Amino acid sequence: MRNAAIIGVGCSRIGELWSKSIKDLLTESALKAMDEARVNKVDSVYVANAASNLLQGQGNLGAFTLDALGLSDIPAVRIEAACASGGLAVYNAVKDVRSGAANTVLVLGVEKMMDALPEDAMAAMMMGEDQEYTAYSGISFVGLQALMARVYTDKFEVPPEQLAAFSVNAHKNAVNNPNAQFHNEIDIDDVIRSALVADPIRMLECSSLSDGAASLVICSEEIAKNHPDSPIQVAGSAVASDFFSIADRDDFLSFKATRLAAEKAFKQANLTTREIEILEVHDSTSFTGVLALEDLGFAEKGKGAAFVADGGVDINGKYPTNTLGGLKGRGHPVGATGIYQIIDLVTQLRGKAGKNQVSDAKIGLSQNTAGLGSTVTVHILRRAV
Amino acid sequence: MRNAAIIGVGCSRIGELWSKSIKDLLTESALKAMDEARVNKVDSVYVANAASNLLQGQGNLGAFTLDALGLSDIPAVRIEAACASGGLAVYNAVKDVRSGAANTVLVLGVEKMMDALPEDAMAAMMMGEDQEYTAYSGISFVGLQALMARVYTDKFEVPPEQLAAFSVNAHKNAVNNPNAQFHNEIDIDDVIRSALVADPIRMLECSSLSDGAASLVICSEEIAKNHPDSPIQVAGSAVASDFFSIADRDDFLSFKATRLAAEKAFKQANLTTREIEILEVHDSTSFTGVLALEDLGFAEKGKGAAFVADGGVDINGKYPTNTLGGLKGRGHPVGATGIYQIIDLVTQLRGKAGKNQVSDAKIGLSQNTAGLGSTVTVHILRRAV
């Protein structure tokens, strides 16, 4: 099995991009990535998106994307796995390059959530859960997470200030990311004083509705060797799943799919947590961000929030996490998020993260989650030396 | 590259299945296919569906399907490419088996279109076209096809009776298919007297709105060899695309993507049209059915309808086509259609087509189309001797 590498990344900024269509956004991001990769054609395209049928009335996004880019003939596959659409698209592209089914693949994620009323965008997101048994009740994703967070904070006696620290770090890091949706710092008090969305989760702990698109060009390591910029090797790429509804699971305090995907990715990369220098975790809320740190093995179960509050995830901490803002600070354009995460890792591994640069980072890990961990992808990236 | 083979198929009947949910339907079809394949686990799952977010409020269908089947841990990928979702899912599964990325894959397509008002289901289907430039105008897919059919019938002087013959054959064949939506024969006069939907296309030339689910188990030929039933080899599996909107294309009388996909599939299979014994073509209308015969190379350009009217596609004709009803007779549950087509080929190649059996059929071809040919998949199946 040959290795895959990333030779080009591109994205739009994230925000309320009223004047740009999904076509504008995906084209902007794809052309940037292809330009950086110095390719004008690819063997195939994966397009990640969760809700364009509902929010823009646009389906058939594979063909739509080829058309927008002036490409034709090649396969284009649209992948939907709720918030993990992006990570799952990257997984499929890496699989194709590793197996030899393709040499150069464009992976693209796009989501425009601000065109709709917030309640409609939220309903679209809840379609990532079981409609007949869960969404039907009217509960939101934050509500579902709060059920878990309530048990978690009680059992491990986690003070709200410790969970809040995750968001504080996210906003601090986003300030220096020109593509981020939020450029305002917040402190623990701001979080604790913000509105209670679903006890114990507060507004400033929740990721936002966002518009944005992000693209990668992934190719075989052989092709990457000829590229003038330092290619980033995909050392691990894994996906795992769990029973759809949390009610069916054994464990209320952990995402099994995160653990399984991490296990597979570490094995592929022949690495352990100790060697990982930077992290991108799926902080749809500060709670799931903390849970990810634990399930991935970077913090002890029940002590993830304390680790965060003690500065463990700061740029200069033990495991710098979401160094360009994560879902909370950078924004969360659902289908594109898994790809933004990888772009932010690539930016760090290339030493291009500016004021937020983690000194000499060579190896990073990203985790992308659908719903409440029904599908989780884990990628491990490594700078070719 | 190793060969892929089909060792299990299963489907629900197609119709207005008010009492069954998408979960009921996909479970029924998947369990039948896995039972026939004699497997209780697979390496991965592909789920094809076009409109469940819109029509059932259900997304994240990969995780949803695993949960419904009591599976977990493995990758599940939901693929959407409008009416070609099914064929594209099969293409991806075959690719994974050929490359060694997986040994045994479940491919499943499901669509429930009768839950919605017909106008909402039609709007959902039009999302397979460009929303801002085409669907926005209010035109339907039949309307778009009619623009082509008008030019086609004028240029080649095709009488309406010849096109109508395609639907007559479809209904005749569906009568003996217990899974088909329609079990009534129609004649040329019935078609010609039916309502004009978009000149020159009439109601009885249009495929229907339908509910249904269909599944395949695809594995490596090595595994298939140990299976007691005669496995069906996937000799060709290809996809091609064309510019999204017909307005951007050179040719108004042909689907380029059909020609390209067929070319690739024939090359893989090392076969020509002469060796193909049965066909499944994507007759969203009788016009696109005829166009497919021409673009695939089974009829001369402009003479496809005459070929049909002369009995060329009958069970005992030169190229028996849509022998169990096709989209018009069997029904067209969009995301599942590409998989039903392959099941119907498998049924013939196994000699299990009952009254509609094509004598000693060994090689068949299926063509599945998205929108107006923006994405087309072609599969060539061959009975292992």
Side-chain angles (χ1 to χ4, degrees):
Chain A
M1 195 182 70
R2 60 188 188 168
N3 283 318
I6 298 168
I7 55 169
V9 306
C11 65
S12 74
R13 76 177 180 85
I14 298 177
E16 303 186 12
L17 310 178
W18 307 105
S19 66
K20 293 192 176 183
S21 67
I22 51 172
K23 191 180 285 185
D24 295 334
L25 293 172
L26 69 84
T27 306
E28 175 185 346
S29 79
L31 294 184
K32 278 184 193 168
M34 290 176 73
D35 197 44
E36 205 180 88
R38 306 191 183 197
V39 298
N40 54 28
K41 57 180 187 174
V42 293
D43 296 333
S44 60
V45 177
Y46 284 98
V47 183
N49 169 273
S52 68
N53 296 64
L54 282 152
L55 304 180
Q56 282 78 41
Q58 186 63 61
N60 202 2
L61 277 195
F64 180 82
T65 299
L66 291 186
D67 189 76
L69 297 175
L71 298 170
S72 80
D73 303 351
I74 59 173
V77 178
R78 184 258 185 100
I79 284 180
E80 183 268 322
C83 303
S85 301
L88 197 58
V90 175
Y91 167 84
N92 275 279
V94 169
K95 184 180 64 181
D96 286 357
V97 168
R98 284 176 170 177
S99 73
N103 291 316
T104 307
V105 183
L106 173 68
V107 190
L108 185 155
V110 63
E111 204 81 55
K112 251 186 93 62
M113 306 168 75
M114 306 308 296
D115 290 349
L117 293 171
E119 56 268 36
D120 291 338
M122 292 303 291
M125 293 309 109
M126 272 310 284
M127 294 180 189
E129 263 293 329
D130 193 310
Q131 185 61 236
E132 287 187 5
Y133 294 90
T134 306
Y136 186 71
S137 73
I139 197 167
S140 70
F141 266 117
V142 177
L144 284 168
Q145 292 185 18
L147 294 175
M148 297 176 70
R150 186 79 273 168
V151 177
Y152 177 93
T153 51
D154 281 359
K155 173 162 177 162
F156 297 115
E157 297 176 358
V158 178
E161 292 76 10
Q162 288 186 355
L163 278 171
F166 200 99
S167 297
V168 172
N169 178 61
H171 272 254
K172 187 177 169 195
N173 291 343
V175 166
N176 297 318
N177 177 359
N179 294 318
Q181 183 166 13
F182 300 107
H183 291 118
N184 60 314
E185 284 206 47
I186 57 176
D187 63 23
I188 300 286
D189 275 357
D190 293 329
V191 179
I192 299 295
R193 281 196 308 259
S194 67
L196 202 52
V197 177
D199 191 9
I201 300 175
R202 292 180 181 271
M203 197 186 73
L204 285 178
E205 296 182 295
C206 300
S207 56
S208 54
L209 297 177
S210 319
D211 301 336
S215 296
L216 308 173
V217 176
I218 299 179
C219 65
S220 67
E221 216 167 32
E222 200 163 66
I223 294 174
K225 272 179 191 154
N226 299 320
H227 199 265
D229 295 343
S230 173
I232 303 298
Q233 189 199 96
V234 183
S237 173
V239 56
S241 55
D242 197 356
F243 289 115
F244 204 45
S245 297
I246 45 166
D248 290 330
R249 300 182 192 170
D250 297 333
D251 188 353
F252 213 60
L253 303 172
S254 166
F255 286 163
K256 186 184 71 170
T258 301
R259 301 201 312 272
L260 286 175
E263 202 178 292
K264 292 189 223 179
F266 279 124
K267 197 173 166 192
Q268 285 172 22
N270 196 23
L271 291 169
T272 66
T273 50
R274 275 194 301 275
E275 288 135 314
I276 304 294
E277 295 160 312
I278 44 170
L279 292 174
E280 283 289 324
V281 301
H282 192 94
D283 59 321
S284 46
T285 63
S286 56
F287 170 67
T288 55
V290 164
L291 210 62
L293 292 172
E294 298 176 0
D295 291 335
L296 291 164
F298 296 97
E300 217 177 304
K301 179 53 62 191
K303 298 192 175 163
F307 178 73
V308 172
D310 290 347
V313 299
D314 294 0
I315 296 286
N316 300 312
K318 188 173 178 192
Y319 294 116
T321 299
N322 297 2
T323 62
L324 292 161
L327 278 64
K328 177 69 198 84
R330 181 186 55 225
H332 181 26
V334 171
T337 284
I339 297 170
Y340 275 104
Q341 291 179 311
I342 289 187
I343 291 180
D344 287 357
L345 282 188
V346 168
T347 303
Q348 283 284 358
L349 298 177
R350 284 178 174 168
K352 301 273 178 69
K355 288 183 183 167
N356 290 13
Q357 183 63 44
V358 174
S359 174
D360 197 33
K362 289 177 300 297
I363 304 177
L365 178 148
S366 71
Q367 177 246 15
N368 185 204
T369 306
L372 283 180
S374 55
T375 298
V376 176
T377 64
V378 171
H379 285 89
I380 298 176
L381 305 187
R382 184 173 204 155
R383 189 175 72 203
V385 204
Chain B
M1 194 183 69
R2 61 188 188 167
N3 283 318
I6 298 168
I7 55 168
V9 306
C11 64
S12 74
R13 76 177 180 85
I14 298 177
E16 303 187 13
L17 311 177
W18 307 105
S19 67
K20 294 191 176 183
S21 68
I22 51 172
K23 191 181 284 184
D24 295 333
L25 293 172
L26 69 83
T27 306
E28 175 185 345
S29 78
L31 294 184
K32 279 184 193 170
M34 290 175 74
D35 197 43
E36 206 179 88
R38 306 190 182 198
V39 298
N40 54 27
K41 57 179 187 172
V42 292
D43 296 334
S44 60
V45 177
Y46 284 98
V47 183
N49 170 273
S52 68
N53 297 64
L54 281 152
L55 303 180
Q56 283 79 40
Q58 186 62 62
N60 203 2
L61 278 195
F64 180 82
T65 299
L66 291 186
D67 189 75
L69 297 175
L71 299 170
S72 79
D73 302 353
I74 59 173
V77 178
R78 183 259 186 100
I79 285 181
E80 183 269 320
C83 303
S85 301
L88 197 59
V90 175
Y91 167 83
N92 276 278
V94 169
K95 183 180 64 182
D96 286 357
V97 169
R98 283 177 170 177
S99 72
N103 291 317
T104 307
V105 183
L106 172 67
V107 191
L108 184 155
V110 63
E111 204 80 55
K112 251 187 93 60
M113 306 168 75
M114 305 308 297
D115 290 350
L117 293 171
E119 56 267 35
D120 291 338
M122 292 302 294
M125 292 311 108
M126 273 310 286
M127 295 179 188
E129 263 293 327
D130 193 310
Q131 186 61 237
E132 288 188 5
Y133 292 91
T134 305
Y136 185 71
S137 72
I139 197 167
S140 70
F141 266 118
V142 177
L144 284 168
Q145 292 184 18
L147 295 175
M148 298 176 71
R150 186 79 274 169
V151 177
Y152 177 93
T153 51
D154 282 358
K155 173 163 177 165
F156 298 115
E157 296 177 0
V158 178
E161 291 77 10
Q162 289 187 355
L163 279 171
F166 200 98
S167 296
V168 173
N169 178 61
H171 272 254
K172 188 178 168 193
N173 291 344
V175 167
N176 297 317
N177 178 358
N179 294 318
Q181 184 165 11
F182 300 108
H183 290 117
N184 61 315
E185 284 205 46
I186 56 175
D187 62 23
I188 300 286
D189 274 359
D190 292 330
V191 179
I192 299 296
R193 281 197 307 258
S194 67
L196 202 53
V197 176
D199 191 8
I201 300 174
R202 291 179 182 273
M203 196 186 75
L204 286 178
E205 296 182 296
C206 299
S207 56
S208 55
L209 297 177
S210 320
D211 300 337
S215 295
L216 309 173
V217 176
I218 298 178
C219 65
S220 67
E221 215 166 33
E222 200 163 67
I223 294 174
K225 272 179 192 156
N226 299 319
H227 200 266
D229 296 342
S230 172
I232 303 298
Q233 189 197 97
V234 183
S237 173
V239 57
S241 54
D242 197 357
F243 289 115
F244 204 47
S245 297
I246 44 166
D248 290 330
R249 299 181 192 170
D250 297 333
D251 188 352
F252 212 59
L253 303 171
S254 166
F255 286 164
K256 185 184 74 170
T258 301
R259 300 199 313 270
L260 286 175
E263 200 179 293
K264 291 188 225 179
F266 279 123
K267 196 174 168 191
Q268 285 172 23
N270 195 24
L271 291 170
T272 66
T273 50
R274 275 193 301 273
E275 287 135 314
I276 303 295
E277 295 159 313
I278 44 170
L279 292 174
E280 282 289 325
V281 301
H282 192 95
D283 59 320
S284 46
T285 63
S286 55
F287 170 66
T288 55
V290 164
L291 210 63
L293 291 172
E294 298 176 0
D295 291 335
L296 291 165
F298 296 97
E300 216 175 304
K301 179 51 64 191
K303 297 191 176 165
F307 178 74
V308 173
D310 290 346
V313 299
D314 293 0
I315 297 286
N316 300 311
K318 187 174 178 191
Y319 294 117
T321 299
N322 296 4
T323 63
L324 292 161
L327 278 65
K328 177 68 196 84
R330 181 187 56 227
H332 181 27
V334 170
T337 284
I339 297 170
Y340 275 104
Q341 291 179 311
I342 288 186
I343 291 181
D344 287 357
L345 281 188
V346 168
T347 303
Q348 283 283 358
L349 298 178
R350 285 176 173 170
K352 301 272 177 70
K355 288 184 182 167
N356 290 11
Q357 182 63 44
V358 173
S359 173
D360 197 34
K362 289 176 300 296
I363 304 177
L365 178 148
S366 72
Q367 176 247 17
N368 186 204
T369 307
L372 283 181
S374 55
T375 299
V376 176
T377 64
V378 171
H379 285 88
I380 298 176
L381 305 187
R382 183 174 205 156
R383 188 176 74 204
V385 204

